[in-house]
Amino acid sequence: MQLDKLEATAREMVASGRGILAMDESTGTCTSRFEKLGVVSTEQNRLSYRQMLVTAPGISDYISGAILFDETIRQKVNGEIPFASYLDRIGIVPGIKVDKGAKVLAGHPEEKVTEGLDGLRERLEEYVTLGARFAKWRAVITIGDGIPTDACIMANAHALARYVALCQEAGVVPIVEPEVLMDGTHDIATCRAITEKTLSVVYEQLDQQGVALGGTVLKPNMVLSGKECLEQADVDEVAEQTVDCLRATVPSEVGGIAFLSGGQTDEQATLHLNRMNQLEVDLPWRLTFSYGRALQQAPMKAWSGDNSKQAEVHGEVLKRAMVNAFASKGEYTSELGSFTV
Ligand code: 13P
């Protein structure tokens, strides 16, 4: 294992004042987001939109890494240069989603387990030749009546650990993403308890596989009230509960932490990250973002299938990237930008 290289890449991914752009939606997810805007999802449309994101002038001031989907890493920016090479050239670390999606867990019809371990060694080898330097695997944990079960948490944690080991063997930094969903009526205490349990089992499994934590990046959910919970925790409580939860479960050696946005509004995702970075606690890791929706909602809406809107798309993605970059230092203020989506 090339540990120095892995640790250096992980540090680059969570570099101060920057964060990760998740633009790795599977074709199915991308299609449903496009359709909500009345846009037909063709390969060319997905390319046109995604190349607008990465060509926003100065985007690398705020973005340290970008997660690509299999289709995108095989495409060229402006028909000239492969995505990964383009990103490298502008100082953004190229990454790739390598899981094959969350499928129903046999025997547990309301729960999911992420698939994609079969053939992963070979796929990683190819992705390295295509320029990927880090990877992402998302596990999904649902809170509901009697769930998550131990079986679901264990199955997902074990798969994550095997994925991490394979990535590190290939010289690729794994993003470890065990997402406890915010859907549901549960309160913030329940989210805290389930997130804490999930992260504990994930790190037990990573330990069993003997991986090098310094060459990994954790991508967790924030600790939030369920979306349909009548009592919504405020920004201070979310920040405190999330940071306490991470301190209780995440080993200090982990290379860095980059949150998912998970269906929060753009504003919530920024305010929560900002507040966490203002707390007067000494943390062993940097806390930044690896947002999909909270970075892309506004630019995708500005585009809405019209390629003549490039300047607007650039403006929106830069604005979202910039406010979150400031939030990753605890320096966001409302003068930096409003939230319109
Ligand atoms: P969201 O920020 O939209 O949750 O997406 C992040 C991601 O990469 C999901 O796997």
Side-chain angles (χ1 to χ4, degrees), residues 209-241:
Q209 294 303 319
V211 303
L213 295 177
T216 68
V217 171
L218 175 67
K219 176 162 171 166
N221 53 284
M222 296 182 193
V223 174
L224 303 164
S225 316
K227 233 178 187 161
E228 289 87 43
C229 179
L230 294 178
E231 206 177 312
Q232 289 291 314
D234 64 15
V235 172
D236 285 335
E237 191 174 4
V238 168
E240 278 159 28
Q241 292 275 356

Side-chain angles (χ1 to χ4, degrees), residues 22 24 136 138 177 219 260-263 290-293:
D24 60 320
K136 180 191 108 169
R138 172 175 176 256
E177 183 179 3
K219 176 162 171 166
L260 58 95
S261 60
S290 174
Y291 293 161
R293 281 162 286 181

Side-chain angles (χ1 to χ4, degrees), residues 305-325:
D306 181 351
N307 293 337
S308 74
K309 292 282 169 46
Q310 172 160 293
E312 288 84 344
V313 173
H314 284 172
E316 292 295 344
V317 71
L318 284 173
K319 208 188 313 172
R320 293 276 78 83
M322 191 249 300
V323 295
N324 288 301

Side-chain angles (χ1 to χ4, degrees), residues 10 13-14 20 173-176 213 215-219 254-258:
M13 290 162 64
V14 296
I20 298 168
V173 170
I175 288 188
V176 176
L213 295 177
T216 68
V217 171
L218 175 67
K219 176 162 171 166
V254 166
I257 296 183

